[in-house]
């Protein structure tokens, strides 16, 4: 059972002395009397606030300034007592044992949480970890609160799972077309994150996904219509920031038209400058107008914006010339992870952070070797390639963000609010209702849907069971079957995978003989996929068959004989449960395609346009 104490830094039930959270006043009194410098009064004007922040910067050593620019991973559920395996990994990758040692050594300005780094077991543990990090930082000479961040996009990318509320992903929200729902998503997610001590969320995705083959963005985007994407980006930004969490529009200057994943390669965007203005730039302009706190760079080459061959992350023409000067953005610019191949292809890990700062970046995210990157920046200042004034510019922006979101004044988690904020019945019910407004009915010939438990009582659910996004129940076939059973059907699940063998297809066909109807969950169907064979064989049984495309809505183009098809845009529980309610006719489908679906036999022609969607 997870520990339910509110102050434990280890999450395993330590003593009262260990779990007591020192007051902000007590900690700051022990750190050279910085209370006045850290606290920017609510009524202070910008000039007065900047003066106080500059005074704070002037007291920092050069080494402390360098540290403020970095946001890094660290392994473990506790700031001081992680599991031995996490200690070993920290020693191997970071040269320290714990988060507290990391902060003491590098004085980092930010920490990013990951599920795979074992930071996110449960809400109270996360809150205890957050407070442990803050204690470690504020106990240092001239210690400052740490900006704690994560990737909680919802949908396919989430770092904090159940019991936190998991909401529909961006493309699903795009199918719902509701600015109110986008704002509500940001507000709910932001409130839950802030209760756990997380101050910055690397969301929303502002990319316009115009390439169906995009392997890294896809359903993380709100869609292919730049104006619609812009409206939802702005709404989600306002939702997050109303809850006290800094939003982050990504991946500038736009990652929506690539067939290469920048985690593993170096994408090239071939848009003209004119097309960029009409397409990729639109959501970023909207985010800036909405007051977005931070913008994340993309590790993409964009020759029309910079012909040097450098990734945008390292491009002064892109980040300073366009983002800062043309678009007028003076908030925090953060890199995408510096461990991704897209930014490491052309330069070594010692050059990347220096070039990013020269380009106009403020925060350096998750370098593969923090020691190499930290020392590279320090050396660049010592040898004159970077000036200390240049570092001060970025630190001022970072501190402004921390002040604006109340991090300087109150960096602590809010464990007393976790029970009445994180994963509440009201939040979960809102997530369900939003999901119902996103499920899209693409095909429904001869009124195949909805299924009726009096007529199609025995339902077989087969199909792909991709690894479930962080913190959801999964697998998809099991979630769908359980949801249908709860709605009065007798549903059974049979996982057939993303590449079913001939024997697996035969097994599914045999099972369909004992069913009144079949639901097939498909996942990224291609021309050569054996998922097509599975669907065709099931159709040949004569049983009513409904396809549920659980990721990309483009699957339907490869399944021309299908008579009923839903798109959920992700395979998280909330979206699958909504799909089950639509299959059962408990709610009418209301979603509309936020991207066009091209014909498989002629990609230049649309099979279904943006806005297509049927209902009952």
């Amino acid at each position: 059972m997870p520990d339910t104490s509110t102050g434990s830094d280890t999450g395993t039930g330590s003593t009262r002395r260990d779990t007591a959270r020192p007051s902000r006043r007590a900690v700051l009194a022990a750190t050279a009397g910085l209370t006045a410098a850290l606290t920017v009064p609510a009524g202070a004007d910008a000039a007065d606030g900047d003066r106080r922040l500059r005074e704070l910067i002037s007291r920092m050593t050069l080494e402390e300034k360098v540290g403020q620019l970095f946001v890094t991973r660290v392994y473990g559920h506790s700031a001081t007592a992680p599991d031995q395996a996490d200690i070993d990994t920290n020693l191997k990758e970071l040269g320290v044992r714990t988060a507290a040692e990391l902060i003491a050594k590098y004085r980092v300005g930010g920490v990013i949480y990951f599920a795979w780094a074992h930071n996110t077991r449960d809400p109270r543990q996360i809150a205890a970890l957050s407070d442990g990090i803050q204690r470690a930082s504020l106990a240092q000479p001239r210690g400052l609160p740490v900006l704690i961040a994560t990737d909680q996009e919802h949908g396919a990318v989430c770092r904090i799972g159940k019991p936190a509320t998991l909401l529909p992903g961006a493309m699903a929200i795009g199918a719902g077309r509701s600015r109110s729902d986008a704002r509500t998503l940001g507000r709910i997610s932001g409130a839950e994150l802030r209760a756990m001590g997380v101050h910055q969320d690397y969301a929303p995705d502002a990319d316009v996904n115009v390439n169906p083959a995009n392997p890294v963005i896809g359903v993380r985007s709100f869609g292919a219509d730049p104006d619609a994407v812009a409206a939802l980006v702005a709404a989600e930004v306002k939702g997050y920031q109303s809850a006290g969490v800094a939003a982050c529009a990504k991946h500038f200057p736009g990652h929506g038209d690539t067939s290469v994943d920048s985690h593993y390669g170096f994408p090239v965007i071939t848009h003209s400058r004119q097309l960029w203005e009409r397409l990729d730039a639109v959501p970023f302009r909207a985010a800036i107008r909405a007051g977005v706190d931070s913008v994340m760079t993309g590790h993409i080459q964009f020759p029309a914006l910079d012909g040097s061959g450098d990734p945008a992350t390292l491009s002064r023409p892109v980040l300073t010339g366009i983002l800062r000067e043309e678009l007028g953005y003076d908030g925090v610019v953060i890199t995408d992870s510096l461990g991704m191949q897209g930014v490491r292809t052309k330069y070594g890990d010692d050059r990347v952070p220096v070039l990013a700062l020269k380009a106009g970046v403020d925060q350096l995210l998750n370098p593969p070797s923090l020691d190499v990157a930290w020392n590279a920046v320090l050396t660049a200042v010592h040898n004159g390639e970077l000036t200390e004034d240049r570092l001060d510019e970025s630190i001022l922006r970072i501190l402004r963000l921390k002040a604006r979101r109340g991090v300087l004044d109150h960096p602590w988690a809010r464990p007393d609010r976790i029970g009445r904020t994180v994963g509440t019945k009201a939040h979960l019910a809102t997530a369900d209702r939003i999901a119902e407004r996103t499920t899209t009915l693409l095909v429904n010939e001869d009124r195949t849907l909805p299924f009726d438990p009096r007529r199609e009582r025995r339902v077989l659910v087969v199909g792909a069971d991709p690894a479930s996004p962080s913190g959801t129940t999964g697998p998809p076939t099991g979630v769908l079957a359980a949801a249908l059973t709860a709605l009065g059907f007798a549903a059974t699940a049979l996982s057939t995978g993303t590449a079913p063998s001939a024997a697996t297809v035969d097994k599914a066909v045999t099972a369909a003989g004992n069913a009144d109807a079949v639901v097939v969950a498909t996942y990224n169907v291609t021309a050569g996929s054996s998922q097509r064979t599975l669907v065709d064989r099931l159709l040949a049984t004569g049983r009513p068959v409904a396809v549920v495309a659980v990721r990309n809505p483009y699957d339907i183009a490869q399944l021309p004989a299908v008579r009923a098809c839903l798109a959920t845009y992700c395979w998280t529980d909330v979206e699958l449960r909504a799909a089950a309610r639509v299959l059962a006719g408990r709610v009418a489908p209301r979603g509309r395609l936020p991207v066009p679906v091209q014909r498989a036999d002629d990609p230049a022609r649309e099979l279904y346009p943006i806005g297509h969607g049927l209902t009952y």
Side-chain angles (χ1 to χ4, degrees), residues 80-98:
T80 56
D83 294 340
Q84 186 60 49
D86 292 320
I87 291 174
D88 295 342
T89 306
N90 282 330
L91 286 168
K92 179 181 179 181
E93 295 189 13
L94 299 165
V96 297
R97 292 165 52 84
T98 67

Side-chain angles (χ1 to χ4, degrees), residues 374-453:
W374 189 92
N375 279 292
V377 174
L378 186 65
T379 299
V381 177
H382 284 315
N383 67 23
E385 186 177 8
L386 289 170
T387 66
E388 201 163 343
D389 285 346
R390 169 65 192 87
L391 270 56
D392 291 353
E393 291 176 13
S394 286
I395 296 168
L396 179 60
R397 292 190 186 100
I398 295 166
L399 293 182
R400 282 174 182 158
L401 185 157
K402 292 182 180 182
R404 189 161 54 245
R405 295 300 150 219
V407 179
L408 292 184
D409 188 45
H410 194 284
W412 308 109
R414 296 161 179 171
D416 58 314
R417 298 187 185 181
I418 285 176
R420 51 194 172 94
T421 303
V422 180
T424 62
K425 288 183 178 180
H427 285 180
L428 295 172
T430 298
D432 282 336
R433 300 293 84 76
I434 290 174
E436 289 174 354
R437 293 190 280 271
T438 69
T439 308
T440 307
L441 180 61
L442 300 176
V443 180
N444 194 25
E445 295 179 10
D446 300 326
R447 297 184 179 180
T448 300
L449 294 175
F451 290 151
D452 186 331

Side-chain angles (χ1 to χ4, degrees), residues 196-455:
M196 293 180 276
V198 178
H199 317 114
Q200 184 177 26
D201 189 10
Y202 299 138
D205 192 303
D207 300 310
V208 182
N209 198 81
V210 294
N211 188 340
N214 194 322
V216 64
I217 305 302
V219 295
R220 297 168 61 195
S221 161
F222 288 109
D225 179 333
D227 293 324
V229 172
L232 297 172
V233 165
E236 195 167 301
V237 165
K238 292 176 181 177
Y240 272 110
Q241 296 185 177
S242 72
V245 168
C248 182
K250 61 187 184 184
H251 307 80
F252 191 82
H255 208 319
D257 189 8
T258 174
S259 58
V260 174
D261 185 340
S262 51
H263 291 84
Y264 310 108
F266 188 16
V268 179
I269 307 295
T270 59
H271 294 181
S272 67
R273 174 61 191 253
Q274 293 73 24
L275 181 56
W276 177 81
E277 292 278 3
R278 298 195 309 270
L279 187 74
D280 307 279
V282 177
F284 289 100
R285 290 183 188 276
I288 292 168
R289 287 194 300 270
V292 70
D293 281 333
S294 54
V295 171
M296 181 179 286
T297 68
H299 302 326
I300 53 178
Q301 186 183 159
F302 212 128
L305 306 183
D306 179 359
S308 70
D310 286 345
T313 297
L314 310 182
S315 170
R316 187 170 179 82
V318 170
L319 298 186
T320 296
I322 296 176
L323 181 57
R324 296 262 190 234
E325 296 173 357
E326 293 185 23
L327 301 190
Y329 181 66
D330 194 36
V332 169
V333 175
I334 181 169
T335 71
D336 205 343
S337 170
L338 296 183
M340 294 166 61
Q341 191 59 35
V343 78
R344 303 174 74 189
T345 299
K346 192 173 178 182
Y347 301 100
D349 292 339
D350 59 334
R351 293 299 298 153
V352 166
V354 175
L355 294 174
L357 291 169
K358 292 175 73 172
V361 158
D362 301 306
Q363 286 185 307
L364 301 160
L365 178 61
N366 206 25
S369 170
L370 178 60
D371 191 67
V372 167
W374 189 92
N375 279 292
V377 174
L378 186 65
T379 299
V381 177
H382 284 315
N383 67 23
E385 186 177 8
L386 289 170
T387 66
E388 201 163 343
D389 285 346
R390 169 65 192 87
L391 270 56
D392 291 353
E393 291 176 13
S394 286
I395 296 168
L396 179 60
R397 292 190 186 100
I398 295 166
L399 293 182
R400 282 174 182 158
L401 185 157
K402 292 182 180 182
R404 189 161 54 245
R405 295 300 150 219
V407 179
L408 292 184
D409 188 45
H410 194 284
W412 308 109
R414 296 161 179 171
D416 58 314
R417 298 187 185 181
I418 285 176
R420 51 194 172 94
T421 303
V422 180
T424 62
K425 288 183 178 180
H427 285 180
L428 295 172
T430 298
D432 282 336
R433 300 293 84 76
I434 290 174
E436 289 174 354
R437 293 190 280 271
T438 69
T439 308
T440 307
L441 180 61
L442 300 176
V443 180
N444 194 25
E445 295 179 10
D446 300 326
R447 297 184 179 180
T448 300
L449 294 175
F451 290 151
D452 186 331
R454 295 167 298 182
R455 185 180 62 240

Side-chain angles (χ1 to χ4, degrees), residues 19 58 66 72 82-83 91 104 129 178 184 200 246 294 355 361 400 404 473 497 501 524 530 549 554 558 588 595:
T19 62
S58 71
V66 171
T72 183
D83 294 340
L91 286 168
L129 172 61
S178 169
T184 298
Q200 184 177 26
S294 54
L355 294 174
V361 158
R400 282 174 182 158
R404 189 161 54 245
T473 303
S501 65
N524 295 357
S530 56
Y554 312 114
Q558 300 292 343
V595 293

Side-chain angles (χ1 to χ4, degrees), residues 502-551:
T504 299
V505 172
D506 287 342
K507 184 177 180 181
V509 170
T510 298
N514 296 317
D516 300 313
V518 181
V519 174
V520 188
T522 63
Y523 184 94
N524 295 357
V525 180
T526 61
S529 172
S530 56
Q531 292 181 70
R532 295 182 65 185
T533 303
L534 172 68
V535 172
D536 288 343
R537 290 281 306 279
L538 290 169
L539 288 169
T541 66
R543 300 295 191 272
V545 174
V547 165
V548 180
V550 299
R551 184 165 184 155

